[in-house]
């Protein structure tokens, strides 16, 4: 299979805001890969980042960021959400796995499987830096752009403060610290620093990634 990521996003009716998120995450990962001291499977890392939230409309509160609904509007995106639930079920992670399999990219699943905040402790212990980088890149992007790791953690804390099903305060704080340790692991092998990754440095990479071919 050879498809441009922009064509895949169109085929699966991915919200523009969600496209932007995945492109930003892939750009963060790309910056790390290009400045890493050891060989990395960059194409696999970028592909996983560009596809990691394909099913996320299933869990989206479509009214939380009303500006993200334009120009199609709430009714259109609610219909898309309903279609996803009917086809893939109510679990967004399982939906993404199914989509990755539909695309014939099951080889990406081990890397994709680590892209969850809940996997922070597990990812800290693994030796595979492809998993660490994909995990970390996702935690450098909030709904509006590339931010610091600390900034993303603070944004997530506010956004999910009323979600009792996410993590206890103690459990979350431990996972946040694990993520910080992963950041240290990555940049100990990098020619750049975390602050060198920002909206300005990511912008030209995002532009180029819109034409990235998934193989």
């Amino acid at each position: 299979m050879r498809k441009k990521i922009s064509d895949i996003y169109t085929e699966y009716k991915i919200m523009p805001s969600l496209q932007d998120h995945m492109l930003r995450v892939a750009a963060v990962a790309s910056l790390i890969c290009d400045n890493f001291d050891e060989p990395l499977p960059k194409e696999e890392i970028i592909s996983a980042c560009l596809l990691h939230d394909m099913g996320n409309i299933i869990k989206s509160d479509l009214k939380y960021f009303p500006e993200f609904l334009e120009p199609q509007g709430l009714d259109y995106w609610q219909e898309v959400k309903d279609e996803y639930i009917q086809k893939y079920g109510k679990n967004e992670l399982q939906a993404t796995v199914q989509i990755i399999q539909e695309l014939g990219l099951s080889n990406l699943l081990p890397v994709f499987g680590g892209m969850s905040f809940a996997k922070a402790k597990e990812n800290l212990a693994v030796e595979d830096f492809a998993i660490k980088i994909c995990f970390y890149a996702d935690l450098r992007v909030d709904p509006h752009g590339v931010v610091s790791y600390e900034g993303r953690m603070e944004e997530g804390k506010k956004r999910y403060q009323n979600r009792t099903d996410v993590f206890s305060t103690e459990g979350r704080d431990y996972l946040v610290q694990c993520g910080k340790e992963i950041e240290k692991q990555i940049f100990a092998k990098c020619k750049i620093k975390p602050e060198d990754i920002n909206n300005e440095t990511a912008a030209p990479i995002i532009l180029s990634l819109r034409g990235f071919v998934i193989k």
Side-chain angles (χ1 to χ4, degrees), residues 86-102:
Q86 182 176 7
K87 183 174 182 179
Y88 298 111
K90 295 183 177 180
N91 185 299
E92 74 281 357
L93 295 176
Q94 292 178 9
T96 299
V97 168
Q98 289 183 57
I99 291 169
I100 289 173
Q101 290 172 332
E102 285 174 3

Side-chain angles (χ1 to χ4, degrees), residues 4-78:
K4 281 179 23 177
I5 190 61
S6 56
D7 292 336
I8 293 174
Y9 288 163
T10 298
E11 179 183 347
Y12 281 89
K13 300 179 182 176
I14 302 299
M15 295 180 73
S17 58
L18 187 53
Q19 294 182 34
D20 288 343
H21 170 76
M22 291 189 283
L23 285 161
R24 287 167 180 150
V25 171
V28 171
S30 181
L31 279 165
I32 294 171
C33 288
D34 288 344
N35 291 279
F36 208 68
D37 292 335
E38 299 175 0
L40 290 167
K42 181 181 176 182
E43 187 170 300
E44 180 179 301
I45 289 170
I46 299 304
S47 297
C49 289
L50 288 171
L51 297 168
H52 78 279
D53 274 345
M54 290 291 286
N56 260 31
I57 194 170
I58 289 171
K59 73 168 185 178
S60 295
D61 179 351
L62 296 176
K63 296 179 181 179
Y64 195 87
F65 293 111
E67 67 271 23
F68 290 168
L69 303 176
E70 301 306 325
Q72 292 92 341
L74 175 61
D75 289 345
Y76 173 82
W77 290 114
Q78 184 61 55

